Structures are given as structure tokens and as C-alpha cells.
Amino acid sequence: MSGPGKFVHPTHRRRRNGWGTRSLRVWARRLMGLVASGRRERELRAEIESHLEMHIEDNLRAGMDAREARRQAILKLGGVEMTKQAYREQSTIPFLETLMQDLRLATRQLRKSPGFVATAVLTLAVGIGATTTIFTILDAAMLRSLPVRKPSELVSFGVHSLMPGPPMDGLPMRMADYLHSHARSYADLSGWGGTMVAVRDPEGALRSVFAWMVTGNALPMLGVRPYLGRLIEPADDVPGGPVGGWPVVLNYDYWASNFNGDPNVIGRRIEVSGHAGVVVGVTPREFQGILVGSPNKVFLPAHFASVVADSPQQDPYQHPETAFTMALARLAPGVTLETANAELAANFTSVWREMLPPRTRELPSLKGATLVAHSASRGFSALEMRYRPALLMLQGVVLLVLLLCCVNLGGLQMARVQRHRHEFAIRNALGAGWARILRQCLTESLLLALVGSAIAAAVAWFSVPVLAAFLTPAGSGESSLVRPDMRVFAFTTMMSVVTTILFGLVPAMRASKAAPAEVLKGQGPNRRVGGLRRNAMISGQFALALVLVFGAGLFTRTLVKLRSNHAGFEPSHVLEVCAQFQTMHKTPQEIASIYHLMTEKLRTSPGIEAASFTWVTPLTGFAPKLNVHSLARPQDEYSMAFNEVGDGYFATVGTRLLAGREFNPDDADRSVCVLNQAAGRQLFPGGAALGETVKSEFTRDKWTAVCRVVGIVADARYSSLRDPAPATIYFAAGAPALRDGGFANNFVFFIRAANDANSMSAYRAALNEYAAGTAYMAFLPLKEQVDQSLGSERLISLLSSAFAGVALLLSGIGIFALLALRVQQRRQEIGVRMAIGADRSDVLRMILGEAVGIIGAGTLVGVALAAACGALVRRFLYGVTASDPWVAAGSVGVLLMVGLVAAGLPARRAASVNPVEALRAE
């Protein structure tokens, strides 16, 4: 400490050594000073008081009285507060110190308004959380690149047909090998083939899981780094597998669930589809394969396909001309996609055509087709193909919700500014500039936004997997996997900043630029202009709310219509499960016999009402077709849907038999068939179909069938509930279906029972008796498959209804806050009205009339907006028009009810004003 003559901080002394010695250590001390600011303030105050007392003592000895001695001491010291500020500027970072002061003041101010804080934070959490959630799914399905090295260089190969539709992915293996050896546009090229393999679950049961069989260069080409161990390497991909067993790489999630995340799993021996394997690695958590939303469980070398092929004819390495693979390549340095496609067209399209088998070459989809390469930076996304329109529409809806949240928060903030305008005027009069007040208001907004966005990020993190389950393809055993990543937090931060500016800037500028003299005199800004502005904001909220409520009504009616649509079958209490019989290496006749034996066993099991099997399950979007004509009218040929089903199928799924009979166990080929009503009307107009003969031709697999019609069943929806039931012909599922179609020797069992547990137990027992050692996929209720077929409709209906509820709540809060502020401002006016004869009902009508005017204006604008948006949502509707009058009337009624209920409390408060107290306050 220096002498009593002057106060010198140690920082001042260090200045004599020059700025060169004040480097990072000084800034570090300043940052530490921010942390210990309370202790520093106490020490500073004590030191200044000590200097002040010494100056006072000197002045008293000089003959001054006590008051003058203190005044002179303060003057000599240079002012206590100025000295403190100078010390702070030297010992801390001014910007950070000011920011900390703003945050402390903002925290104190917000703690005084818990209702406002709760409303603002929850509104932000809903708006930003909903936007972030849908953006996360949209990003994963359509925008996110694969988490690999330089994904922009990746391309895949396919066939561009002259027929409409996207390119068909995949190449014959022989063509992929030829491109790998001869094409100059690619630095490397790998092959990917998917299959189901049998692996035991933690309970010891064999389960079918999806596996990628990849060439040895596939994962190294992508630049994937293992989480544990190593990945598939070129030395692993050899015929018969390497010595010691087939190397197996586990997906991270599968390792965590099936192997309990055991870090010592490397080197563990496991059995894969009856063949010895050894775990060599685990992929990183972020890498789920190249199929977006559909993670595989394991990776195996490509030559593993030979040992799981059900016959030599299906071995891709014995017949590479008919075996297809998904070919993924990395462009050579400096090569563009356009250059690569030019090389394909010039040098390889003719080679590819020559490699195709003659009957494949003549397929309509391949006539005039060309090879094409397209970007594979985002992998292969079935989610994008199926759900792109729905996701884009939902993103538009949530942006509307976010806009509504911003408008609501802007109105709340303006009301808050109005309540604190006297405080701001006093601060301005005491020297706080407009920039300081503006910064303080924005700091409060930023603080609210940060808290709201933190909650929003948590909402998105937990809600994304739940909503992604709605996007599960019908018939799939597992939900689509969509996981947030750092993009979510970046997007949430961006939305927080934008939202802060939107709802905080305008009220802050109004607060900072208010004239202190006018405010303190009670004049202030034009209340009429401010009232009109707030009225417009609340009307805008009701307009947006009406659009959301109307949309929710349309989407909900669509879902109800689809669910009540007559499907032609009864899905309740029916369980489906697919066995993997291709690993048994039996003949088609033997496999067909196992299906019949297991079905008979199931029917005699306790609690089982019916059982059968089928090739195509309903409402999966898969609808194979063939050409059919009756022998009596061969010139009239029709394209019809078809299916191959077991005996008792129609009784099991609940499709009514109208005439004739079902298939029986003796029907083992395509010599007999069953038609639905639509097919009977087409093939035999005006006549009976039973006993007649029809001929069918399936051009894809080149087989024909001549069958006698033995039954007529009711029409049933086939691929989609939106489409009418197609004309359908059913064949008896047997050895021909297993031999000709290349269906991997798999049918799907349907089991009807009052209790799913009975179905599961009966199936496991039958499988153990007739097909021990084979795996099965997950059990799936048929009713759940029907719900999965309506995944996008269910998601749209659920979210639009939730957003409509949020919109109504926010609109109600908005008009409540506006009228509550208006009643507070007009308290004296209401007192005067009541003093000169107005009664409570007059005041009540006045306030409610104002509310009706605001709501009515918003309703008119909302009706116009809803009509304008009708064309955008028409494609998502079913059984309801975009201008449905009943939905419109109901939406307007709900909006009016919510608005009037929210306005009721301020209106009652206004009607209960005591005129004497109001005039006395004036």
C-alpha cells in the first residue's frame, strides 16, 4: 500500500515496465478477478476507506472541521466511485465485467416476474423444440452426409431406364468387377450386399438380423475408423473365409445391446448362420451403415454370401452375371460426377448390356437403359423417398408455430416494457444512454432464449426417436433410427439467436428511445398507436392459430377416414413372424412341407384360433402384378395384383369367403386359384367365375400358370389404405413359389389368438420341432403393421393437433395479457364510467366487445390464409376437402371459445373496479 498522499494500484506500477510484460498473465488475472469479484470489491472498498480516513486526519490536523475535511479528502482522492471504476477497468476485462453486470441485473429483474419468465421460457421451448425436432428428422432423412471421410467424393451406380421413376440402384457383380479394373474415373470401388443372418440373442435364441456383406476395401475406402478392434480388410474377403473363422464387425448399438457393451468382445467366437465367426471390431457410434434410418447389425466379408446361399444357383460368386451388388465408389482426384458419367456412357454401357443374361436384357425396364453414377454422399435413404413431402410440410408447419411463438413473446415483451417504462425513464434521466437500456433489454431476452433453447434441445433429443418410430416402413421389425447430432445444437443455437432478435429487438428499441420528460409527466408515447400495434399482434396470433387448428382438423379427419376404411381383413389379434428357412439348404418341396407341418402344429396349440402363411403381407407398399386373362376371353388381358398364400389364409386374416372354398393342404401349386370380387368382375363380367380357367403370366420371373378358380373372396386393400382394393388373384403357396420366385425360401406366418403370448409360445414350439436351428425375426402384430402403413398420416395428425393446442394456448395467453394491461391502463377511465352510471354489465360488455373485435379480425385473416394454404395440403388429405365447411366451422368455434374464456378474467376484473378507489388513485 502506498502512502496517504496518493492511491496507486499495483497495475499502475507495472505500466512503467511497458506493455510488453503484460501478456496472457494479466488477462488470466482479470478473468480470475471476475470469478472472485465479490472478495475483490470488499478489499477495494476497505483500501479506499483507509486512504480516505488518512486524508481526513490530515485535513483535521490542518484545522478544518469534520465536514469540510471529509469533502476535501474526497476531492483529493478523485471521487470514491470514479476511483473504484478505474480500479475495475485495470483489474478486469471491461466487456466481460459489463456483461456480468447486465446478466446479474437481468436475473434480478426476471426473478421479479416469475409468471412472465415461465410463459416466455415454455413458449420458446415449444417453438424452438418443435422446429429442432422436425429439422433433425428432415436433416437425417434428406440433408446429412454420411459420417465418413470426404463424403462428397462418393458415388453409387445404377441403371437409368426410359421408364418413369428414379434410377435403379445396383450392378451385376461381374460389371462391378469390370468397372473396378478398367474405369479411370474412380480411385476405388467396393461392393455391398445385404442379407439376413442368424445370431443368438442374450437369451440364447437364434434371431435374424440384417448384415452387410462387403468387399474387403469397402470400409477402408469410406475412411471409417473402428470404435474397438479393426474393420473388414481385403485379406478377410477370400473364398471360404480366413483361417480361424469369418471375421465379424459389430454395429455399435448392436454391440451395446446384444453384447452389453463389453470392451473385451474382440476375439470372441460366435456362430453366424451356422458358421464359425470371430468378432474383430466395433464400428463407431455415428456410423450406421449406408442405409439411412435402417442400421445393420453386423458386417461380414462379401464371400460369406457363398456359404449362406440356399443353392449353387444363388451363389453370387458362381453366377456373377445374375447376382447384383450395390456398388459404391470414390471419385479419383480432380474427377467430377459429369466426367464419370461421360466415361460410363462412352465405354461401359455396351459392355454392361452384353454381360446381362438374354432374358434379363429384354425386360421392359432395361430396354434402352444406360448406366449412370450419382452422388452417394448421403447414402441411400428410403426415408427420403417415402416421407419427403410429409417432412417438408411438417417443417413448414413448425416454422409457422415458431412465428406464432415469436409474435406471442413480442407481445409479452412489449407489455412488460410498457409496465417498466417509468423505470427506464428514470434510468435515462440519471444518465443511462439509450444504448445501455437497449443492451439491458436484449440481455434479458438473450437470457430467456438461452434457458428456453436448453430445454428445447432436451425436448428434441428425447422426442426425435419417438417421432422417428412413426416413419418405420410397414412390416419392418424395427423402428427407423434417427439420432440427433451436433447439427441439432448448432441449429438450436441459431434459432435462439434469431428468436431473440425477433421478439426482443423492437420492444427494446421502444423502451430505450422513450423521452424521459414525457414519460415522467404521464404523457409518453401515443397509447392509441401502441394499442393498435398490440391489437394487430394478437389478431395475427389468432390468424395463425386458426390456420393450425384448421389444418389439424383436416389431418385428423383424414386419419379417421383411413382407419375406418374397409380394409377387407381384420388385423386385431393377428401376429406375424418370418422364419429364415433359406439356411436349411433343403429343396423347395421340403421347405413347403415344413410350412404346412408347422401350420398344422400351430392350429392345434393352446389358445390358437387360426394360422396360415403368405408371401406378401398387407399394406407394405409392395404390390407385384402379373398379366391375367380367361381362356374364354383371351383377347381381354388385365394387369392384376397377385399373392401366394397358404391354406386357411383368408380365415386367419378375416377376409370373407363369398363363394367356393379356400385353399386346402392338398393345394400345393398354381393349378388352382382364388379371385377377389374385383378380379371376378373383370375377367367374367356378368357371369360366374367359379370353375372357370384363367391363365397368368409373370414377366419378371418368366413363369406362367393355368389355374381353375375354386373360390371368390371379398375385396381387400393390398398395398395401401389410400388405394382402392385392386383386382387380385391368389395362388396356393407351395414349392413353385419357393423355386421360381427366388423369394429366399421365406414366407410369413400369420397366427390368430386372443393373446399374443400364446402365439409366440406356440410358434417357438413349432419352430423347435420342425426347423430347429433356424432363426426368426421379431414378432409383429398385424394391427401395428396397419398403423405403420399410416405412419406419415399419424405423425402429421399428432403433431398438427399438438401444435394447434399450443397455438390456442399462446393465443389465449396473448389476449389475456393484452386485456389485463389494458384494464390496468384504463382503471381510472373505468372508474369514471362507473361513477357516472355505467354498471358492471356495461364494463363487461366493453372489454369482451374489444376481445371479440380482436378475435374477429384475426379470424378473417386466418380464413384467408387457410384458403390460400389449401392447395399445399390437398395431397395429404383423404376423404375430406381442403375447404371442408364442418372443419372450418369447428375451428372458428374453438378459436372463439378459447379467446372469450381467456378474455373473461380481465373483463371480470374490470367489472369489479371500485370507482371510489380508482378516482382516489387518480
Side-chain angles (χ1 to χ4, degrees), residues 258-303:
N258 214 59
F259 295 87
N260 300 314
D262 182 6
N264 298 317
V265 72
I266 305 302
R268 181 180 301 182
R269 296 193 172 275
I270 62 173
E271 189 176 275
V272 183
S273 295
H275 299 274
V278 57
V279 178
V280 298
V282 177
T283 59
R285 189 170 191 262
E286 64 274 9
F287 181 72
Q288 298 291 336
I290 59 176
L291 294 181
V292 176
S294 303
N296 61 294
K297 305 299 184 183
V298 297
F299 292 90
L300 291 159
H303 274 86

Side-chain angles (χ1 to χ4, degrees), residues 411-462:
L412 292 176
Q413 191 77 330
M414 290 181 69
R416 176 176 169 80
V417 167
Q418 183 68 23
R419 286 197 299 270
H420 290 274
R421 61 194 185 97
H422 278 80
E423 173 193 336
F424 294 143
I426 293 173
R427 291 175 62 185
N428 199 342
L430 292 177
W434 69 269
R436 181 68 181 81
I437 297 175
L438 175 65
R439 189 179 69 210
Q440 181 59 44
C441 291
L442 286 178
T443 302
E444 292 184 12
S445 299
L446 179 62
L447 194 59
L448 291 172
L450 289 176
V451 177
S453 62
I455 299 176
V459 169
W461 186 267
F462 290 105

Side-chain angles (χ1 to χ4, degrees), residues 299-361:
F299 292 90
L300 291 159
H303 274 86
F304 190 77
S306 296
V307 301
V308 293
D310 59 330
S311 67
Q313 289 72 27
Q314 304 232 348
D315 184 348
Y317 286 94
Q318 291 191 37
H319 298 279
E321 71 284 354
T322 57
F324 274 66
T325 184
M326 294 181 70
L328 206 64
R330 184 176 292 279
L331 292 173
V335 175
T336 64
L337 186 59
E338 291 74 16
T339 303
N341 274 317
E343 184 188 17
L344 282 177
N347 301 335
F348 298 105
T349 296
S350 59
V351 176
W352 162 72
R353 294 193 62 81
E354 292 173 1
M355 288 184 178
L356 292 175
R359 73 173 189 172
T360 304
R361 191 183 310 159

